[in-house]
Amino acid sequence: MYKIMTPGPTQVEENIRLARARECTNPDLDETFVEFYKETCEQISRLLHTGNETLILGGEGILGLEAACASLTEPGDNVLVLDNGVYGRGFADFVSMYGGKPEIHTVDDRNPIDSRELEKFLQANHEYKYATLVHCDTPSGILNDVHVLCPLLKKYGILTVVDSVSAMFGEALDVDKAEIDILCGGSQKAVSAPPGLTFVTVSDEAKKAMEERKTPIASFYANLKVFEGCYEAKWFPYTMPISDIYGLRAAFDNIEKDKDMLARHAKIAHACRQAVTEAGLKLHLESGYSNTVTVFDVPKETTAQEILDVMRKEHNIMLAGSVDSLAGRVIRIGHMGSNANEKDMTETMEALEQTLEKLGVPLKCSLKQQFCRWCERND
């Protein structure tokens, strides 16, 4: 088995795997599972600092993004798509799919969205039903400050949809403080459960917008309204993936007990970035680094595929390249969730150092030693 030091899916703890092996009941008929589901949803809301309802959907994180757009979008709706990364502009596809008119607002993709520049834009352009943005756009690792951007959008009467699949629980996130109407998360990133589930928090204002639609939602599976009254009726709109949800609950139990989670992510991310830059490698971004992933440009002496192959075949460690316009240009080290620990990261930095040296990439210092030094400094 490879050590998967990728920016999701991440390594999965044993207690989560064991939870998924629990004996199954019938989730359609067993009221004890309905209670378990409700308690798990309430736990997620609590951990995300919100009074908004959470729903767990039976599908990978993309389902949450599509369900948010499907549930809010009516034909002809104007939707602002904030784009400083691959997933940011990807929201436009979901908006178009359900008949909306996406306006893509593209900004510098090496830096976070600037709230001052966004406000200048909104002063002249704010007739949007909702806006979409990404908290951490994983292909580049850029982090946008949703606690500043979303209240700014709300100031202009715009509902907010946020993809925080790759940021939440590796970065601070307070849904109520950020005024997020629909927040989308996923099981396989910093939550560190296997892929297969998404969860969304839904504000009363978002529910009101769904209720006041003039046209029906053009989906069943990607439709947040089908969950209305489920708990009261002790009924789900489709059969819940019970074993996946048992595992997800164990993952959130781990998070709730882990009081140092955010501090550990910050320490490891900082140490990794320092080691990478001091060794002479170039971070892809200019600013706005997420604490869940480090992204550096592929050195001219080699290729992304060669780095990934040597890491996997000779060191049994899986890193990631990227996608879309960044394919072949960068390497990504995932230090989120279960991956965010010094032991695995030290092994990864040592293996990367040996890999780059084998491929003829000159390093100014030891990646492993610098990483360990920075970790010690931040203890």
Side-chain angles (χ1 to χ4, degrees):
M1 291 291 292
Y2 301 118
K3 186 186 297 292
I4 50 171
M5 299 299 291
T6 58
T10 59
Q11 300 177 79
V12 177
E13 299 291 344
E14 184 178 13
N15 72 316
I16 297 170
R17 298 195 300 270
L18 291 174
R20 287 164 54 84
R22 286 176 54 180
E23 185 175 355
C24 288
T25 183
N26 184 330
D28 292 324
L29 301 175
D30 191 336
E31 291 188 8
T32 60
F33 178 73
V34 178
E35 295 294 338
F36 182 87
Y37 176 93
K38 180 174 182 286
E39 290 170 4
T40 305
C41 289
E42 290 171 345
Q43 179 186 38
I44 297 170
S45 291
R46 185 170 64 251
L47 290 170
L48 291 170
H49 309 288
T50 182
N52 295 343
E53 181 180 20
T54 292
L55 299 172
I56 301 168
L57 312 182
E60 191 269 342
I62 290 293
L63 173 60
L65 309 184
E66 181 175 343
C69 295
S71 300
L72 289 178
T73 309
E74 293 194 76
D77 281 343
N78 294 320
V79 179
L80 178 62
V81 176
L82 297 179
D83 161 30
N84 67 334
V86 174
Y87 291 153
R89 59 182 167 270
F91 264 115
D93 295 334
F94 295 129
V95 173
S96 298
M97 192 182 301
Y98 292 97
K101 297 178 180 177
E103 180 174 335
I104 302 177
H105 181 62
T106 301
V107 295
D108 179 8
D109 62 4
R110 297 287 182 103
N111 294 284
I113 296 168
D114 186 321
S115 61
R116 293 165 299 182
E117 292 301 315
L118 178 60
E119 178 141 37
K120 288 178 187 175
F121 172 81
L122 291 173
Q123 286 170 353
N125 308 271
H126 51 260
E127 297 300 321
Y128 304 104
K129 184 174 186 178
Y130 67 94
T132 65
L133 67 155
V134 178
H135 193 183
C136 167
D137 210 307
T138 335
S140 69
I142 202 159
L143 186 76
N144 291 310
D145 190 348
V146 296
H147 296 94
V148 172
L149 298 172
C150 289
L152 175 58
L153 291 160
K154 296 289 284 184
K155 172 182 170 182
Y156 288 89
I158 303 168
L159 294 170
T160 56
V161 173
V162 172
D163 167 4
S164 186
V165 173
S166 299
M168 61 169 60
F169 304 113
E171 293 283 350
L173 180 58
D174 186 317
V175 172
D176 286 351
K177 180 180 176 183
E179 300 183 50
I180 298 171
D181 288 298
I182 300 182
L183 175 80
C184 304
S187 57
Q188 77 271 30
K189 302 286 187 175
V191 175
S192 292
L197 293 176
T198 186
F199 46 91
V200 297
T201 68
V202 188
S203 74
D204 289 342
E205 198 170 343
K207 290 180 181 179
K208 183 172 183 286
M210 294 176 211
E211 196 63 40
E212 293 177 349
R213 291 176 59 108
K214 297 178 177 62
T215 58
I217 295 171
S219 175
F220 178 81
Y221 207 66
N223 179 345
L224 299 179
K225 276 182 66 65
V226 298
F227 283 84
E228 283 183 347
C230 284
Y231 175 68
E232 292 77 10
K234 302 294 186 284
W235 171 89
F236 291 106
Y238 51 81
T239 301
M240 287 289 109
I242 183 171
S243 296
D244 290 344
I245 293 174
Y246 283 154
L248 185 71
R249 173 64 169 272
F252 279 113
D253 287 343
N254 289 349
I255 289 170
E256 193 152 29
K257 294 171 187 171
D258 189 354
K259 305 306 180 187
D260 297 324
M261 189 168 187
L262 294 180
R264 185 174 64 256
H265 276 80
K267 180 177 84 168
I268 285 175
H270 182 256
C272 183
R273 291 193 297 267
Q274 288 295 127
V276 164
T277 53
E278 289 169 10
L281 301 172
K282 184 179 182 298
L283 293 172
H284 180 69
L285 299 175
E286 294 174 357
S287 65
Y289 309 103
S290 173
N291 286 333
T292 59
V293 54
T294 292
V295 183
F296 65 89
D297 291 341
V298 174
K300 60 180 173 50
E301 293 84 1
T302 186
T303 67
Q305 197 57 55
E306 285 177 323
I307 294 171
L308 298 175
D309 286 347
V310 174
M311 286 290 292
R312 189 172 65 251
K313 294 173 182 177
E314 298 188 16
H315 300 281
N316 215 38
I317 295 174
M318 186 179 287
L319 299 183
S322 196
V323 296
D324 200 80
S325 59
L326 293 178
R329 296 174 53 198
V330 299
I331 294 293
R332 297 183 294 161
I333 305 169
H335 36 72
M336 58 176 67
S338 297
N339 291 8
N341 68 84
E342 289 185 42
K343 179 178 180 297
D344 286 334
M345 277 297 294
T346 300
E347 290 178 16
T348 299
M349 299 304 276
E350 181 177 26
L352 181 59
E353 179 182 329
Q354 293 174 7
T355 295
L356 293 174
E357 288 174 345
K358 175 176 181 172
L359 295 172
V361 178
L363 297 177
K364 296 179 178 178
C365 62
S366 164
L367 282 167
K368 175 188 174 182
Q369 288 179 8
Q370 291 305 101
F371 174 77
C372 292
R373 282 198 190 110
W374 279 103
C375 282
E376 288 171 6
R377 262 188 222 185
N378 292 322
D379 277 341

